[in-house]
Amino acid sequence: MASAQSEPADVPVVAIGSSAGGIVPVGELIAAIGAAPLFAIVVAQHLSASRDSSLVQIFQRSSAMKVKTIDDGEFVQAGVVYVTPPGFDVRYARGQLRLNLPEQRIVPFPSVDTLLESLANDPGRYPAIGIILSGLGRDGERGVRALSRRGGVILVQTLREAQSAGMPEAALRSSCVDLVATAATLGARLPMICKSLLSNGAQVRAAEFNAVCAFAEPLLGIGLDRFDPLVLGQALRRRAALLGADSVMDYAEQVAEHPAESDALLRYILKPAGSFDSQNPERRQMIEALLACYQKYEGAQPFRAWSMGCATGEETYAMVFALEAASKQRDKAPDFLVYGTDLRPDCISLARTGSYSDYEVAHLPKSTMTQCMVPHLRFHTVKRELRRKTLFAVHDALKQNPLQDMQFVACIGVMPILSGHHASVLRARLSLSLVPGGVLFSESDLESC
């Protein structure tokens, strides 16, 4: 197949994944968008490879946008709905859609995970939007986790409306979903959501901030002023767009009417961003500092390390893997225990399972996979003997007493979302958790305390 155009377009992408019972909601979603949106839509609807598809004709009847079958290598354009042809997987790369014959596998195709993971690997200038509609099975679960961690927005059809709830349920288990609504509602809100993605973060006005805080803070039990104003402003405007509110002040009213939205706001600010990517400079330096600290340790008690803001546990387990490998290279090596804490209970629950997808462990060396992980059909689980060397808990280091007697504390990804004052307070509190000579590692510096 030949490319339909020669110049790339800098266009946000909305990826829709669906399977059994998905054709009708895809049509309803597209119909609710209207004409000439700022984004392109790519549909990965599970299809039989042995039959011709009439999806283009079906979707065109309800859409004011152009609907077409994907040509391999074409660059995406705003206002166009691209439909994956039968018998192919589709990937996004640098503005292009690439069709590939699917590898041998049991799961159906086109693979929703493949499309979403390709957007996560190459998100371009703007974060992408992933949508999961009706479908059997778990296709899309890995992809929504990958896309969310790269700043993407995840939308899911309500279980009540979905004819087949398998795919929406699997996406919800990822703890990365930003909005659950009917297909028509998702379509109607897409233009506003996309607009919020394209705009730079803006500081909220004092009146808007105070209105949200009045309703949210008593439910959350924390002050929102701990967060950097730009981070908070972006979160408030993004959540307002997701809920269809015209302004942050209107969003404050929705917070008042729907108490669960306070938790949704906090989850959005604290979106998990963990990974096993050892090539990340901060992760590499942190592991080097951890091992240097461990090599010097000669105590009789287990070496104690703390991963503060551990999200879904990747950083914590990376520390465990490194310490386990180092312990095998020392005679009479001291035992160790690694603590992982986070504000989000749902993230801590995922961390305790120690289960990660193929995509999430892709950066781990083969030796680590063999020594530290147990493979399953679609996931890999940290070995039980290593999980016994971890302790995960929900903990607020700005309010609760810091953990004590730590030889090493890692705090990566937390300081940048805090205000300058609260970042300084947190650093001081974490220092109090260290034994004399212990090490605190954060983005800005490597401190010896």
Side-chain angles (χ1 to χ4, degrees), residues 201-259:
Q203 188 168 341
V204 296
R205 297 194 301 272
E208 295 174 325
F209 175 79
N210 292 334
V212 174
C213 289
F215 300 115
E217 290 185 347
L219 296 171
L220 294 174
I222 67 170
L224 293 178
D225 63 343
R226 69 170 58 186
F227 299 112
D228 178 88
L230 289 179
V231 171
L232 181 60
Q234 182 188 66
L236 291 175
R237 297 185 189 285
R238 191 73 50 81
R239 289 303 305 173
L242 286 162
L243 268 64
D246 293 329
S247 67
V248 175
M249 194 63 76
D250 290 339
Y251 171 69
E253 295 179 6
Q254 299 212 28
V255 174
E257 295 173 4
H258 307 285

Side-chain angles (χ1 to χ4, degrees), residues 150-290:
R150 290 297 184 93
V153 174
I154 306 300
L155 314 178
V156 172
Q157 183 181 15
T158 61
L159 300 182
R160 180 179 298 179
E161 184 188 61
Q163 181 178 322
S164 300
M167 286 174 58
E169 284 180 334
L172 289 170
R173 283 196 298 270
S174 72
S175 194
C176 296
V177 175
D178 297 297
L179 177 66
V180 181
T182 65
T185 299
L186 296 178
R189 293 190 185 163
L190 268 177
M192 186 181 295
I193 296 170
C194 185
K195 184 178 179 180
S196 74
L197 288 172
L198 297 176
S199 63
N200 294 324
Q203 188 168 341
V204 296
R205 297 194 301 272
E208 295 174 325
F209 175 79
N210 292 334
V212 174
C213 289
F215 300 115
E217 290 185 347
L219 296 171
L220 294 174
I222 67 170
L224 293 178
D225 63 343
R226 69 170 58 186
F227 299 112
D228 178 88
L230 289 179
V231 171
L232 181 60
Q234 182 188 66
L236 291 175
R237 297 185 189 285
R238 191 73 50 81
R239 289 303 305 173
L242 286 162
L243 268 64
D246 293 329
S247 67
V248 175
M249 194 63 76
D250 290 339
Y251 171 69
E253 295 179 6
Q254 299 212 28
V255 174
E257 295 173 4
H258 307 285
E261 177 56 27
S262 298
D263 288 325
L265 172 61
L266 185 62
R267 289 198 306 270
Y268 191 89
I269 297 171
L270 302 175
K271 264 196 171 187
S275 79
F276 285 112
D277 186 3
S278 61
Q279 300 306 309
N280 180 285
E282 291 165 353
R283 171 65 59 79
R284 185 174 63 251
Q285 293 174 28
M286 184 272 287
I287 294 297
E288 290 173 354
L290 170 70

Side-chain angles (χ1 to χ4, degrees), residues 63-77:
S63 175
M65 296 175 283
K66 177 183 178 181
V67 182
K68 70 180 298 296
T69 302
I70 295 171
D71 291 321
D72 182 39
E74 69 178 314
F75 290 97
V76 296
Q77 294 180 299

